[in-house]
Amino acid sequence: MMSPMQDEITAAIATDLGITELPIDTQKELISQFGEVALKAATLSVIGKLAEEKRAEFATLAEAGDAMALKTFLDREVPDHEEIAKAAVAEEIKRFKEFQAEGTDKRSNK
Amino acid sequence: MCMNEDFTRGLKKFTKTADGAEIVSKLGDEIPKELEVSAQEKSTPEVQSFEDWREDLYKGKDSKIFPELARVDEEGKREDTPAEAREELRKTVEEAVVQLEDSEGDERKKQEGAKTSEENAAYLAEHSEKQKAEAENKGGVIEKYFRKMGEEYNKSGWKSKLGLGVALGLGTAAFATVSVPAAFVCLGGLAAQRAAGTASMFLKFEKYKKFENHKELAVLMAGLYGVATGFAIKEAVSFLSETPLGDITHEWLKHNWPFGHAEIAKAPIAPEQPAAAASVGESAASVPPAPEIPPINVEASPGHGYEYMLKRLWEQLHDNKQLDPSKYAEGSDIHKLLTADAASIDTVVHQIASDSGHGFFNADGTSVQINLDDHIFIAPDGQVHMSHEFYNSGPVQAPENAPVTPAYPPETAPAAPEITPPVGEAATDHLSNKIYSEGSNPSVLHGSADYPLESHTPPIEEFQPDKVTFSHDEVHTRIFPEDGNQEREVLESIKTYADDYTELTVSEDGRILERFMVDPEGHTSRYTGGDTFVPASEDQTADVKNAIEHAHRDEISAPQPEAPAHAQEIIQQSGSGEVIQEHADGIVVNQSGLKIPTDKPHFYAGADDKHIFAYGGGSAEEKLKAIKEFLTQNLDKTVYSADANGEHRIPWHITPQGELVGVPEKTGGIFGWFKSFVKPPEPNEFVKLIK
């Protein structure tokens, strides 16, 4: 059993992903899996806006774990990086929901 | 495998209920064929439904149906104890229930036309592969970083993944104010957990429903962004201090800001102060601005203790080639770990783990319990900290208002003396929480349930763990199974909450065996898994009451707060709570006015004239020598003294062969669960000086 706070956040994300009907362990697995997809999507979207010669610097700062330096770097190189990353995550959520709706649509069309 | 026939009958008794029928069907191939039930056919009024039957499995000796459950070999000989067999059966049943629920969920999804778990997982896996291919197209450096990011993510625990999701804006739009750069760099680190902590604060605020003004809420959340990433904590705190939510902000910071929180929400921080120092509150002046601290952390894992976790922390630090030890204060944990090499790391982690300043081990010999939710990390002060809850990333520290032991600054902390264990006994090993071995002392062992550690959090509303804990005592206890199995060491943890609920958990090697809640009226409930508490039996209620009372008797009290740290005369409280005085010359004056030298061993009579105590002395050897000398001249006497580590009371006597013998004295306890070791003699027990 998770702590109440974890329960609440898990429930909020599960609702966002439309997987609340699944068993809690499955929800956790999918949230975990989706988190990786979301993280990678956000990363790719921000890197995509970076000039090629700046990408290595991004990777170095990110790997070093220096959040403040990375934020300063991104503020300078990709001023709207927050919006770009969040839009990428939102797009992934949308795709995931569409994927789920496909099954529902097909069945309802039968 | 087939199910034991008797057991099948026992199960089928409850197939009238839908759940019961499903479970029987599900369990058909799951039950070990050797499992035998000899008395499950009893018809009892207490067990009428499948849920009753399932609950009965957790009642140990009080089980109505399975009191003598056991597995037998081919010759019909019992292979295990009823407790072990019940545990095995419980595990099997609970796994089957989970499988059943999972399959029901998937079936329901199919019927509704939605995707199943497998379909969702396959979609995400396929999508992840596409992203990998996309990264490969962006060049070698990015591909390498991308791969490493994936590996780090997969190594991260659930809490960190949840935090990352929050940092990326999953869940609700409100969470989207958490830093994305923090998500890029945290990869399972502290930032992710702070991000989730921020989400928890949002949830708390949301419940208050006081922020109807969206602009105000936006400012608030911007402040939280700062708290989550450490970029702008002083602005957040200053803002929140002026709101009606100052108190709950203070409470939240106390749990989530790992290096100090005193009065932070009520005393706005001076603008010129750096964020890190500002949050230290009163101790800000003594803490220099710290260099960048890598966001690393190590999560607890089954069977591993502080030293193991510290060593993993050392490995992570050394993985980061950019860290320069010279940037960190000498004497700080991060400096120690960065300068340690393979040859010295064992010594270094031992020193850190046993250092009283870290609070891992208490002066009374108890140690902080490590749960699977816990993790250690390097805080901005450069010291190793440990957190207890996902949303509680504060350092190990006694709860507010809880009795505490006197704190010694690390540089003046006395080194643990190298001492010889009592005759015939093994030394106490603090770092593995081991207690003296002792001769067999068969007693009765209650049936033990093995619950996952995450179930440690009470599921009932009244038992919310984020309520203020007023005290937390831990007592190491040994249990002696009646079937002759090896003695086991358990840890009793007793927490008293602000609402006067008391929680008792009995755990072994990090696994919770038993858990009880006592409400303010004294009603005792026993946790049986899931969301279920059931009324405890009379015996259990008595056991729990006994354990709690015993722990409270043994509480170590705090020093008087007004006492000056370096005064010539230090006022302190004894273990029983009475005030004694300790003079600079090493003389202690107890409540009876008796002067007690502490530099050499002396012998004292107790109030009943039957007890003789040995107290004082520079080393364990010196004390043992004096005790042996005294007892050689008083062969019929028993002398009580502290053990080599000052944790337990040892009654010493001389054998006819002239050997000095003593084993730690234990309290009575009931049913073996709540036996614990008696505290060492203390000055207030002494009435007169004998020698």
Side-chain angles (χ1 to χ4, degrees), chain B residues 264-294:
Chain B
I264 189 165
K266 294 174 181 174
I269 308 301
E272 63 277 12
Q273 282 184 295
S279 66
V280 177
E282 293 176 355
S283 61
S286 62
V287 181
E292 188 67 26
I293 298 294

Side-chain angles (χ1 to χ4, degrees), chain B residues 361-653:
Chain B
F361 295 94
N362 301 319
D364 65 349
T366 61
S367 59
V368 174
Q369 183 177 332
I370 304 174
N371 296 321
L372 286 181
D373 262 354
D374 295 343
H375 63 112
I376 60 171
F377 56 93
I378 305 280
D381 61 358
Q383 302 296 95
V384 171
H385 289 253
M386 177 176 165
S387 76
H388 273 302
E389 290 285 345
F390 172 36
Y391 50 95
N392 176 3
S393 52
V396 169
Q397 56 184 30
E400 280 185 2
N401 306 320
V404 294
T405 52
Y408 293 99
E411 63 275 15
T412 58
E418 290 294 326
I419 40 184
T420 308
V423 177
E425 304 302 327
T428 297
D429 177 358
H430 283 273
L431 300 185
S432 59
N433 291 342
K434 287 179 181 170
I435 304 175
Y436 288 108
S437 64
E438 189 182 35
S440 62
N441 184 5
S443 181
V444 178
L445 170 65
H446 270 314
S448 64
D450 183 5
Y451 303 119
L453 274 170
E454 284 200 328
S455 68
H456 185 70
T457 304
I460 299 175
E461 182 64 24
E462 289 80 2
F463 299 158
Q464 294 294 319
D466 54 356
K467 291 188 174 181
V468 177
T469 308
F470 274 126
S471 70
H472 183 190
D473 303 296
E474 290 186 336
V475 180
H476 292 284
T477 304
R478 301 181 68 204
I479 55 176
F480 306 95
E482 63 177 339
D483 53 18
N485 281 344
Q486 198 171 2
E487 305 151 3
R488 296 155 64 184
E489 298 164 6
V490 297
L491 181 70
E492 296 168 13
S493 175
I494 296 155
K495 290 181 184 174
T496 305
Y497 294 98
D499 51 11
D500 287 335
Y501 276 87
T502 303
E503 177 188 20
L504 167 68
T505 55
V506 181
S507 58
E508 179 182 28
D509 295 332
R511 292 179 310 136
I512 293 179
L513 303 174
E514 291 280 4
R515 182 155 157 256
F516 297 92
M517 275 289 180
V518 184
D519 71 14
E521 284 76 44
H523 302 124
T524 304
S525 303
R526 179 168 175 266
Y527 183 58
T528 58
D531 289 341
T532 312
F533 277 84
V534 297
S537 67
E538 284 184 17
D539 285 344
Q540 289 166 344
T541 301
D543 284 354
V544 171
K545 187 180 175 193
N546 209 31
I548 292 171
E549 285 179 353
H550 175 70
H552 287 171
R553 279 200 302 273
D554 286 346
E555 262 176 13
I556 299 296
S557 299
Q560 299 299 300
E562 64 272 21
H566 302 290
Q568 281 196 324
E569 185 180 77
I570 298 174
I571 309 295
Q572 60 178 335
Q573 284 181 301
S574 69
S576 55
E578 289 89 5
V579 173
I580 59 175
Q581 295 179 334
E582 182 178 350
H583 294 269
D585 57 4
I587 302 288
V588 167
V589 181
N590 74 2
Q591 61 182 0
S592 305
L594 185 66
K595 292 182 178 177
I596 301 161
T598 56
D599 57 340
K600 290 180 180 176
H602 287 72
F603 294 84
Y604 304 87
D608 58 3
D609 251 2
K610 290 178 184 172
H611 285 79
I612 297 172
F613 302 100
Y615 191 84
S619 70
E621 287 88 346
E622 193 180 354
K623 194 184 294 178
L624 287 176
K625 187 180 171 190
I627 292 171
K628 188 169 184 180
E629 192 179 303
F630 179 88
L631 286 173
T632 303
Q633 296 166 12
N634 301 274
L635 291 173
D636 59 335
K637 302 289 186 190
T638 297
V639 170
Y640 295 85
S641 78
D643 66 8
N645 291 308
E647 294 178 2
H648 308 306
R649 178 178 301 220
I650 312 279
W652 299 100
H653 67 277

Side-chain angles (χ1 to χ4, degrees), chain A residues 1 32-33 71 86 92 107, chain B residues 113 127 153 176 225 454 457:
Chain A
M1 193 179 65
S32 172
Q33 217 178 339
K71 183 178 185 297
K86 288 190 167 72
E92 289 302 333
R107 286 172 194 272
Chain B
H127 197 56
Y153 183 85
Y225 168 93
E454 284 200 328
T457 304

